[in-house]
Amino acid sequence: MMNHVIYDIDLAPKELQKKTKSSFKEVDEKKLISTRKPQEVIVAIRPDSGGQEGPVISLLANHFLVKFDSSQKIYHYNVEITPHPSKDVARAIKHKLVHNNSEILSGALPAYDGRKNLYSPIEFQNDKLEFYISLPILTSKSTSLYGEMNDREEKREQHKLFRINIKLVSKIDGKELANYLSKDGDEGIPLPQDYLHALDVVLRESPTEKCIPVGRSFYSSSMGRGKDIGGGAVGLRGFFQSLRPTQQGLALNVDFSVTAFHESIGVIPYLQKRLEFLRDLSQRKTTELTCEERKEVEKALKNIRVFVCHRETVQRYRVYGLTEEATENIWFPDRDGKNLRLMSYFKDHYNYDIQFRKLPCLQISRSKPCYLPMELCVICEGQKFLGKLSDDQTAKILKMGCQRPGERKAIIEGVMRGNVGPTSGDQEGEFKLQVSREMTKLTGRILYPPKLKLGDGGHVRNLTPSRHDRQWNLLDGHVFEGTTIERWALISFGGTPEQKSHIPRFINQLTQRCEQLGIFLNKNTVISPQFESIQVLNNVTLLESKLNRIQRIASNKLQLLICIMEKKHKGYGDLKRIAETSVGVVSQCCLYPNLIKLSSQFLANLALKINAKVGGCTVALYNSLPSQLPRLFNIDEPVMFMGADVTHPHPLDDSSPSVAAVVGSMNWPTANKYISRIRSQTHRQEIIADLGPMVGELLDDFYQEVEKLPNRIIFFRDGVSETQFHKVLQEELQSIKQACSSRFHGYKPFITFVVVQKRHHTRLFPADTDQSSTQNNFHFQYENIPPGTVVDSVITHPKEFDFYLCSHWGVKGTSRPTHYHVLWDENQFTSDELQKLVYNLCFTFVRCTKPISLVPPAYYAHLAAYRGRLYLERSESLGLFRSDSTLSRAAPPKTPPLPKLSENIKKLMFYC
């Protein structure tokens, strides 16, 4: 029998307030048990007390134990504020209300989520209360921008009156939560969300008052000055916090965080920093924007909040767009209906001559014509950067967040003891909480690395990675399966004459390096190297004709196209799409600067990628999976490993499709070659819509290769948040099962469904640096935990089957272990078996000679989904896909399909 519990997910506060259709629907438990199918709304529980294999290592985790008094009642009140305020204003209202009405509120210091929920440790005098609060905010009438304000009117402090209705919703205590967290608790009960959510709001109260909240993180200048990252953005330091149920009880997960904010400067200097074509804006005051430039400016400013500097006011305005007309051509009617010229108005009322008269104005109303000249506006502080960060900005943000473990640990401990963190207010005492200031002490285990098998042609034919970073080299060895590449070509885009002169040396050294690795790359290309202008990458039609010509010369049998570029170029996406969907050839791109250095490592990495794309593989496990896990795996009963991921468009994109990818292993027992299926689907849909057909096609391919259907399917699903666990389990597992039974009559493989998470905030630190001389030869002066470190107790789920595995060596910053959460397990893995399987697979990734940070099927699915996104983005920007802009937002535009892969590409790992 499988062990399962009814599944109820740990919803974040935002989702609790406004449950979407995809959120967990609360149902009566007895009704659920009597009516559901066996596979619905249940999740696998931990099969044992945890793994036993591997030497023990002492660790610290950034989880801080939160003890609560289970008898402490929390009174949950619903708050209605009229007119509806922003979150900042709502908080100001709550602050004034509590300060002025202490007696009516029984002296309580309630916690507020900024929306509709108020939590108090003491019951108020009445279950229904009504208050009126006046705040010094400009009224909407006085914010009209033209002809409305004489100076007396403007300087008079305006007050806005708000009505606040407070109503008792429920009285809750922590007994159910304590029972759930207890080792002796009933395994069938769902997680009591109400009390957990209340405590989460309580612990967020003080940071929310003192910091800039963004999602579940808080940012404050008290954690260090902001850093200019260019392009009108600054990086701010802060911290993440989340209250989680764990085996040790409730724990507050706190981590260091960095994100980008808009720089608080004038709109004109902001645009000069943000947009390359406006760098010289101060010198071109008399030049109008082109249509394309105007679109770029509008895109850069849309939804940003600004304030004005030509008069005193606390009002903040949101930018909804730009005016069609330049500032010098804008007229508006005053209160008497008389037409006024905007430039004259500012001269007459403020004695200000508008300088940038050729620029459009900011439109700061959604419906009415309300305009502000750009030069009189300043970007408000504390706004998360809305645009897509450039490569340079991203690198600077990553560098800011790249702390070595010791430094990161000190920052986190500083937050817990500091004056802006979760324990900096009075809430802890008010709600009878005891929050530890010490990180959680726990033990992990270090899994042993697998023995690896190399190719037969080399001097070294097997090895066990013994270095502290578990990396190995192929100096005296061949790849496990080297390919033969007889027909290939090289094309160059751009580059100086001096750079181009390095091509013959590059070809010579690459073919030699391939030979050393057991890969045959013909010394002669099918056509002499082709040198094209970088501009060819801007012309899709021309680019396609150039690539087709090379394919024709190769008699349509071209195996590889190496493309050298002088710099990164947006045409990279077009090149990949054309090569893989039209021409039918795998390609390998590289940059001229790397060609000139031509290090042995660069050549080896290039050779490994080429070999994998053309059909080879780098390494295999010396002891096959059936010999390592004999209880589960049999050489005659094939197993298929699958990975799936969904990639979504940029946050500001409100219409482009999402892209789903599924990969499957095609060889057994080696299990190191994966082919892919990629589909576009509805905008931001997390569930894979075509999972059934995609799985079915991969099963067809597996049957062709192995001549048997897999007896077991191990499915690794990436990119799923905890709020989606239930929906993904219910819908995608059903899709997989239907694909199996509908395609092959009576076919029911044993399925294990594992969610893989990298985007979490749990960090592990070595507990004692004195252990370096005795413990497993791992030198803790490196600070990061060693590869193979696994944790499946204390900080993991109280009941469900999950573990943290750090399979890679962290070269920079602090290692982030990958979180594996088993939602369904018909194969009945033990903890040791699944942990060993996942860790061993991490050594089989085709692109490098070291274990990677997450299980390869999930990584390959991520790469394949990224390739699909690349096809889509370039096709959209070139107008190859057209969506009807007149469609209402209620009905998203029809999802354009991805271009079909060429038949000779489909079964190759072209995406890696």
Side-chain angles (χ1 to χ4, degrees):
M1 282 288 293
M2 294 192 320
N3 294 320
H4 286 88
V5 294
I6 295 171
Y7 191 71
D8 192 2
I9 46 187
D10 178 11
L11 284 172
K14 189 177 290 184
E15 282 76 15
L16 277 171
Q17 294 313 307
K18 189 176 180 181
K19 293 187 179 181
T20 62
K21 289 180 183 176
S22 63
S23 298
F24 182 68
K25 294 179 181 176
E26 294 177 6
V27 292
D28 181 78
E29 185 183 336
K30 290 179 182 175
K31 184 179 177 183
L32 181 69
I33 292 170
S34 62
T35 59
R36 67 173 179 240
K37 294 177 182 177
Q39 71 271 26
E40 288 181 333
V41 287
I42 49 178
V43 70
I45 66 169
R46 199 175 301 281
D48 46 38
S49 59
Q52 304 297 318
E53 287 191 13
V56 170
I57 174 175
S58 296
L59 301 167
L60 293 172
N62 59 339
H63 286 219
F64 298 84
L65 186 63
V66 178
K67 292 181 180 177
F68 61 97
D69 182 347
S70 61
S71 64
Q72 169 67 49
K73 273 193 169 61
I74 293 179
Y75 299 87
H76 178 197
Y77 292 89
N78 182 70
V79 180
E80 292 283 351
I81 304 176
T82 311
H84 183 69
S86 67
K87 266 194 181 182
D88 291 343
V89 172
R91 287 211 153 269
I93 291 169
K94 175 257 179 184
H95 188 269
K96 190 171 181 179
L97 186 150
V98 172
H99 184 266
N100 293 353
N101 300 278
S102 179
E103 190 175 331
I104 299 172
L105 301 180
S106 307
L109 294 175
Y112 180 46
D113 70 352
R115 298 182 193 87
K116 293 195 171 190
N117 297 289
L118 192 72
Y119 297 97
S120 171
I122 310 167
E123 191 168 9
F124 298 159
Q125 285 188 1
N126 294 300
D127 291 351
K128 287 185 180 180
L129 296 168
E130 185 173 82
F131 301 93
Y132 287 86
I133 297 287
S134 179
L135 286 184
I137 298 173
L138 288 176
T139 63
S140 57
K141 188 175 279 186
S142 68
T143 61
S144 171
L145 289 170
Y146 320 113
E148 80 302 6
M149 309 180 190
N150 56 45
D151 289 343
R152 290 193 310 280
E153 214 176 347
E154 187 180 340
K155 290 177 182 173
R156 189 174 68 229
E157 190 176 50
Q158 303 280 334
H159 280 73
K160 191 168 185 176
L161 192 64
F162 295 90
R163 185 178 73 186
I164 301 97
N165 289 100
I166 297 177
K167 180 183 176 183
L168 181 66
V169 176
S170 61
K171 304 173 186 180
I172 49 179
D173 61 38
K175 289 174 184 174
E176 283 188 10
L177 182 58
N179 183 37
Y180 179 87
L181 294 167
S182 164
K183 286 184 171 63
D184 304 321
D186 181 359
E187 287 183 348
I189 64 169
L191 174 64
Q193 293 284 359
D194 47 6
Y195 203 78
L196 180 66
H197 177 233
L199 294 183
D200 188 61
V201 172
V202 167
L203 289 169
R204 296 175 72 78
E205 179 73 9
S206 188
T208 303
E209 296 280 358
K210 299 170 183 177
C211 306
I212 304 165
V214 177
R216 300 193 67 78
S217 296
F218 301 95
Y219 298 90
S220 169
S221 57
S222 68
M223 294 189 65
R225 287 180 59 190
K227 180 182 174 65
D228 187 345
I229 61 168
V234 290
L236 278 188
R237 294 172 175 84
F239 62 95
F240 165 93
Q241 75 171 62
S242 174
L243 192 62
R244 306 183 61 79
T246 66
Q247 287 188 40
Q248 67 170 333
L250 277 190
L252 194 63
N253 178 204
V254 178
D255 191 23
F256 175 59
S257 180
V258 175
T259 199
F261 285 77
H262 293 287
E263 189 176 357
S264 182
I265 54 176
V267 167
I268 296 293
Y270 174 81
L271 288 173
Q272 287 179 280
K273 287 188 170 190
R274 179 85 185 263
L275 300 171
E276 185 69 42
F277 63 84
L278 293 181
R279 290 283 190 268
D280 62 345
L281 186 55
S282 54
Q283 273 77 54
R284 46 177 278 194
K285 291 179 182 178
T286 57
T287 310
E288 287 192 23
L289 296 177
T290 66
C291 184
E292 285 302 312
E293 287 174 341
R294 188 186 166 285
K295 282 181 184 175
E296 287 297 310
V297 171
E298 186 167 57
K299 186 178 170 185
L301 295 176
K302 199 167 185 179
N303 291 317
I304 290 178
R305 294 191 308 277
V306 298
F307 64 90
V308 294
C309 56
H310 64 283
R311 57 185 174 85
E312 289 181 20
T313 174
V314 294
Q315 184 69 24
R316 300 293 181 259
Y317 307 99
R318 184 180 297 278
V319 178
Y320 287 98
L322 301 181
T323 59
E324 294 292 337
E325 298 283 346
T327 303
E328 64 181 1
N329 298 328
I330 293 176
W331 293 72
F332 64 92
D334 66 6
R335 284 178 177 169
D336 302 323
K338 182 185 175 186
N339 253 5
L340 296 177
R341 191 182 183 208
L342 186 138
M343 288 184 60
S344 304
Y345 171 82
F346 277 92
K347 177 64 176 174
D348 296 343
H349 281 70
Y350 304 106
N351 194 28
Y352 183 80
D353 289 311
I354 293 173
Q355 304 295 306
F356 294 89
R357 55 188 63 193
K358 296 287 186 183
L359 290 179
C361 280
L362 304 180
Q363 167 67 18
I364 49 89
S365 170
R366 196 191 300 272
S367 53
K368 294 183 295 184
C370 294
Y371 315 128
L372 282 174
M374 288 187 190
E375 64 202 78
L376 297 178
C377 298
V378 180
I379 311 281
C380 296
E381 269 190 315
Q383 298 182 78
K384 189 176 186 304
F385 192 81
L386 297 175
K388 189 174 182 180
L389 293 176
S390 67
D391 290 347
D392 186 51
Q393 288 173 318
T394 302
K396 287 176 180 174
I397 282 287
L398 290 174
K399 190 174 180 181
M400 281 184 72
C402 188
Q403 267 72 30
R404 294 300 293 170
E407 190 181 348
R408 193 181 199 97
K409 178 172 170 285
I411 291 170
I412 294 167
E413 290 171 334
V415 168
M416 291 304 293
R417 295 184 174 95
N419 57 7
V420 298
T423 60
S424 61
D426 301 319
Q427 288 74 30
E428 193 177 357
E430 282 279 305
F431 289 83
K432 295 184 182 177
L433 300 176
Q434 295 175 41
V435 184
S436 174
R437 271 54 166 183
E438 303 295 329
M439 286 193 177
T440 296
K441 293 179 180 177
L442 69 155
T443 57
R445 291 168 292 110
I446 305 172
L447 301 181
Y448 296 109
K451 190 175 183 181
L452 304 176
K453 190 190 294 185
L454 305 179
D456 292 336
H459 294 297
V460 178
R461 299 188 182 185
N462 60 75
L463 57 87
T464 303
S466 56
R467 282 173 39 165
H468 72 274
D469 58 2
R470 297 301 185 231
Q471 194 163 348
W472 68 94
N473 66 55
L474 293 169
L475 282 177
D476 298 311
H478 283 185
V479 293
F480 178 70
E481 187 181 331
T483 51
T484 298
I485 305 167
E486 291 278 4
R487 305 175 75 78
W488 69 284
L490 184 146
I491 187 168
S492 158
F493 298 99
T496 64
E498 198 270 333
Q499 286 176 324
K500 293 174 186 176
S501 68
H502 288 273
I503 293 290
R505 183 172 70 99
F506 165 68
I507 292 173
N508 184 45
Q509 294 201 17
L510 179 61
T511 54
Q512 283 182 26
R513 193 75 185 93
C514 283
E515 188 179 354
Q516 291 163 7
L517 292 168
I519 305 161
F520 176 78
L521 180 66
N522 196 329
K523 288 184 168 61
N524 301 309
T525 54
V526 293
I527 183 176
S528 61
Q530 303 293 292
F531 295 99
E532 304 291 348
S533 161
I534 192 79
Q535 298 305 319
V536 171
L537 289 172
N538 293 323
N539 186 328
V540 176
T541 308
L542 184 59
L543 177 61
E544 188 165 355
S545 71
K546 299 279 186 188
L547 300 191
N548 272 321
R549 175 177 171 271
I550 295 172
Q551 179 68 290
R552 281 196 306 275
I553 291 170
S555 305
N556 291 322
K557 293 179 182 177
L558 196 65
Q559 294 170 274
L560 169 72
L561 180 65
I562 293 183
C563 310
I564 319 290
M565 299 180 185
E566 69 176 43
K567 60 183 179 182
K568 288 184 179 179
H569 193 281
K570 61 187 180 183
Y572 168 84
D574 295 322
L575 191 146
K576 290 292 181 183
R577 178 177 52 79
I578 292 166
E580 292 156 5
T581 66
S582 174
V583 179
V585 63
V586 293
S587 58
Q588 178 60 53
C589 297
C590 46
L591 300 174
Y592 266 116
N594 293 324
L595 250 67
I596 293 164
K597 297 174 196 169
L598 218 56
S599 68
S600 176
Q601 187 65 58
F602 168 72
L603 289 167
N605 290 343
L606 206 60
L608 293 183
K609 286 187 75 173
I610 288 169
N611 186 54
K613 287 179 180 182
V614 179
C617 60
T618 304
V619 72
L621 298 172
Y622 185 82
N623 298 307
S624 68
L625 291 173
S627 66
Q628 292 196 51
L629 302 173
R631 189 184 71 83
L632 284 174
F633 296 160
N634 186 308
I635 193 82
D636 297 320
E637 296 177 347
V639 177
M640 185 181 194
F641 298 99
M642 303 186 82
D645 191 15
V646 178
T647 174
H648 301 294
H650 185 266
L652 288 182
D653 185 331
D654 59 3
S655 62
S656 292
S658 293
V659 176
V662 182
V663 302
S665 60
M666 290 292 132
N667 53 348
W668 175 257
T670 317
N672 59 2
K673 290 184 181 179
Y674 292 78
I675 67 173
S676 65
R677 290 294 181 271
I678 314 171
R679 301 276 200 282
S680 57
Q681 62 182 42
T682 304
H683 175 74
R684 299 207 184 284
Q685 180 178 317
E686 185 52 59
I687 302 300
I688 301 175
D690 289 337
L691 182 61
M694 294 161 88
V695 168
E697 289 176 25
L698 290 170
L699 287 170
D700 286 339
D701 290 328
F702 187 93
Y703 187 79
Q704 287 178 23
E705 295 292 330
V706 183
E707 298 181 344
K708 284 182 182 179
L709 286 170
N711 195 52
R712 304 176 192 272
I713 293 175
I714 319 297
F715 192 92
F716 294 98
R717 177 67 157 89
D718 197 2
V720 179
S721 65
E722 288 174 349
T723 60
Q724 294 282 324
F725 277 10
H726 167 80
K727 189 172 176 64
V728 165
L729 172 63
Q730 184 167 323
E731 297 191 24
E732 295 191 353
L733 180 67
Q734 192 63 25
S735 294
I736 297 168
K737 291 189 173 226
Q738 283 178 350
C740 294
S741 59
S742 63
R743 220 168 182 95
F744 308 96
H745 182 68
Y747 173 51
K748 291 183 178 179
F750 297 103
I751 298 170
T752 295
F753 194 110
V754 185
V755 168
V756 183
Q757 293 176 303
K758 281 288 283 182
R759 291 187 176 182
H760 62 81
H761 288 269
T762 294
R763 297 291 185 277
L764 301 169
F765 306 90
D768 186 357
T769 52
D770 293 337
Q771 298 172 2
S772 59
S773 58
T774 59
Q775 210 171 55
N776 310 303
N777 296 319
F778 282 108
H779 303 294
F780 282 89
Q781 67 264 32
Y782 294 115
E783 295 186 69
N784 263 318
I785 54 174
T789 300
V790 66
V791 169
D792 57 8
S793 63
V794 186
I795 60 169
T796 47
H797 195 279
K799 295 176 171 58
E800 295 170 12
F801 187 5
D802 69 326
F803 59 90
Y804 292 93
L805 171 64
C806 183
S807 49
H808 70 297
W809 170 244
V811 179
K812 289 183 178 180
T814 305
S815 295
R816 188 201 309 249
T818 299
H819 186 220
Y820 296 89
H821 200 127
V822 182
L823 298 190
W824 186 262
D825 185 24
E826 293 172 353
N827 290 293
Q828 299 186 334
F829 280 98
T830 64
S831 294
D832 277 326
E833 287 170 337
L834 187 57
Q835 290 162 11
K836 183 177 184 178
L837 170 66
V838 169
Y839 187 47
N840 284 2
L841 287 175
C842 289
F843 283 79
T844 64
F845 188 63
V846 291
R847 295 204 316 200
C848 55
T849 54
K850 59 185 177 184
I852 57 169
S853 62
L854 79 165
V855 69
Y859 200 150
Y860 292 139
H862 174 76
L863 293 174
Y866 174 73
R867 180 55 54 84
R869 164 75 46 216
L870 203 60
Y871 292 170
L872 206 59
E873 283 177 350
R874 289 303 295 156
S875 298
E876 285 178 335
S877 68
L878 295 163
L880 300 184
F881 299 150
R882 295 184 64 187
S883 60
D884 189 351
S885 59
T886 61
L887 286 174
S888 70
R889 289 298 304 278
K894 189 176 179 183
T895 304
L898 293 175
K900 288 186 177 179
L901 291 170
S902 295
E903 284 301 316
N904 56 333
I905 295 293
K906 267 187 180 178
K907 294 190 178 182
L908 296 174
M909 295 176 68
F910 64 92
Y911 52 82
C912 71

